[in-house]
Amino acid sequence: MKSLAELQAIKDKMKDKVVIREGSGNVRVVVGMATCGIAAGARPVLNTFVEEVNNGGLAEKVTVSQTGCIGICQFEPVVEVYEAGKEKVTYVKMTAEKAKEVVEKHLKGGNVVAEYTIANFKA
Amino acid sequence: MKELSLNILDIAENSQKAKATLTEIILNETEDTLILEIKDNGTGMSEQTLNCVTDPFYTTRTTRNVGLGIPLLKLAAEQTGGSFKITSKTEGESRGTCVTAVFNKNHIDFTPIGDTVSSIVTLIQGHPETDFLFKHSCNSGEVSLDTRELRGILGEVPLNSYEVIKWIGEYLSEQYENLK
């Protein structure tokens, strides 16, 4: 049975970690979570990114956050990846499965998954 | 929306935009009905705005001219023979907005509630600096979570730390398991 005491243990374990995390994280993954995104399936996409980034040991480098409507509702769920010194990458029509692949190939491996980017859909 | 839990996520996002510091999400289920209440202490809306929000062609967004969040929830409730109400105050102690939707659970057009745990986790992940009170009660018991209580234990550790988010998801899922 989960108890609040467990949360206390998490806190004790994390106290030191919080300091380290500050100032790091030069990659930002942003998921569109307005009505259009949510209706198209953004919730599992977001939660997959959160899970995979942490399970893959990328938490120090990558932050996952949410935003409102990006303005291209027909392409939702939309995910943008911002990295210092690089051009923004926009992934469209995302799913949890594609999110896993993006974490593995792009965030971990450094190779953009061109197949899922907006450039590929517009062409 | 495929699940009401997605409508809940969507409407609660409005509360965050209205700078709410506390958002209450209350689900009350009986044999035949479901009452959903989403209440916040945000900036509230003027009477004029309030009259517009159920109109799909009214929106606060700047990227497009259509706002479907509130109309979709209203439709989901009314298509079951239920009802929808929204009240708002911009001043005073009861400042904020309250959305109430009543559903007939046995109606063929009733949308399943779906994965509420996932929606609550998503809200906390995206808005760790504000508080959420979640309560889902039905005949067999109640599931609840109050981030103010968690914050009291966690101190400076953010609510959206992965370990905490994961714990919240498991904590809620376990409560649902115990209802069965």
Side-chain angles (χ1 to χ4, degrees):
Chain A
M1 187 67 196
K2 293 263 155 216
S3 69
L4 293 172
E6 259 179 341
L7 203 58
Q8 180 68 46
I10 292 174
K11 181 207 169 166
D12 295 338
K13 209 178 71 190
M14 296 219 21
K15 255 198 255 152
D16 317 319
K17 260 178 153 178
V18 177
V19 185
I20 306 167
R21 269 193 199 169
E22 256 174 73
S24 58
N26 55 353
V27 180
R28 250 175 1 110
V29 174
V30 180
V31 183
M33 293 292 291
T35 307
C36 45
I38 293 170
R43 188 181 66 182
V45 170
L46 173 88
N47 290 329
T48 302
F49 269 109
V50 170
E51 223 171 281
E52 294 297 315
V53 160
N54 282 278
N55 292 341
L58 298 167
E60 308 279 310
K61 188 178 105 177
V62 182
T63 55
V64 182
S65 55
Q66 305 176 20
T67 187
C69 180
I70 295 166
I72 42 171
C73 311
Q74 69 274 33
F75 290 113
E76 294 282 357
V78 175
V79 175
E80 296 178 323
V81 180
Y82 295 88
E83 197 169 345
K86 287 187 185 167
E87 217 170 298
K88 174 183 82 178
V89 178
T90 305
Y91 288 110
V92 299
K93 294 186 184 270
M94 288 296 283
T95 62
E97 280 309 306
K98 290 179 184 174
K100 274 187 192 169
E101 215 179 311
V102 167
V103 171
E104 206 48 47
K105 291 183 179 160
H106 183 170
L107 302 181
K108 236 186 215 175
N111 300 309
V112 174
V113 189
E115 194 192 332
Y116 305 149
T117 60
I118 191 160
N120 193 47
F121 279 79
K122 273 185 172 163
Chain B
M1 301 270 181
K2 284 182 195 146
E3 301 175 2
L4 288 180
S5 68
L6 293 173
N7 294 96
I8 294 173
L9 172 60
D10 185 30
I11 302 302
E13 291 284 354
N14 296 345
S15 301
Q16 310 317 303
K17 224 175 163 190
K19 299 189 179 71
T21 56
L22 175 67
T23 308
E24 296 171 53
I25 299 167
I26 317 287
L27 288 157
N28 250 309
E29 261 185 278
T30 63
E31 200 82 359
D32 310 312
T33 59
L34 165 70
I35 304 171
L36 163 67
E37 194 181 83
I38 301 171
K39 197 177 153 196
D40 71 52
N41 63 354
T43 51
M45 290 174 281
S46 66
E47 210 165 308
Q48 197 185 0
T49 309
L50 200 58
N51 288 333
C52 301
V53 290
T54 54
D55 173 2
F57 297 103
Y58 177 80
T59 182
T60 56
R61 79 167 94 191
T62 49
T63 50
R64 228 181 44 179
N65 295 323
V66 182
L68 289 171
I70 292 281
L72 280 174
L73 177 63
K74 184 170 184 271
L75 176 72
E78 288 175 351
Q79 74 186 5
T80 70
S83 63
F84 176 88
K85 195 177 85 181
I86 180 164
T87 57
S88 196
K89 282 218 170 89
T90 54
E91 286 170 317
E93 236 167 71
S94 57
R95 191 189 84 155
T97 300
C98 182
V99 172
T100 312
V102 182
F103 301 83
N104 254 321
K105 279 166 60 184
N106 301 322
H107 196 283
I108 189 159
D109 290 324
F110 176 66
T111 316
I113 298 175
D115 189 356
T116 49
V117 175
S118 200
S119 285
I120 299 301
V121 164
T122 303
L123 281 168
I124 298 172
Q125 197 274 339
H127 310 280
E129 63 296 326
T130 69
D131 282 306
F132 294 93
L133 172 69
F134 173 65
K135 262 192 192 146
H136 185 170
S137 57
C138 56
N139 289 338
S140 49
E142 186 184 86
V143 172
S144 72
L145 183 90
D146 188 340
T147 58
R148 290 170 297 186
E149 194 184 355
L150 308 188
R151 209 182 288 281
I153 296 169
L154 289 168
E156 277 172 31
V157 173
L159 277 169
N160 66 346
S161 317
Y162 181 62
E163 287 80 355
V164 176
I165 283 292
K166 209 172 128 197
W167 181 88
I168 292 172
E170 288 166 2
Y171 183 62
L172 284 170
S173 299
E174 206 170 76
Q175 288 186 49
Y176 272 109
E177 281 297 311
N178 290 338
L179 282 187
K180 283 172 192 164

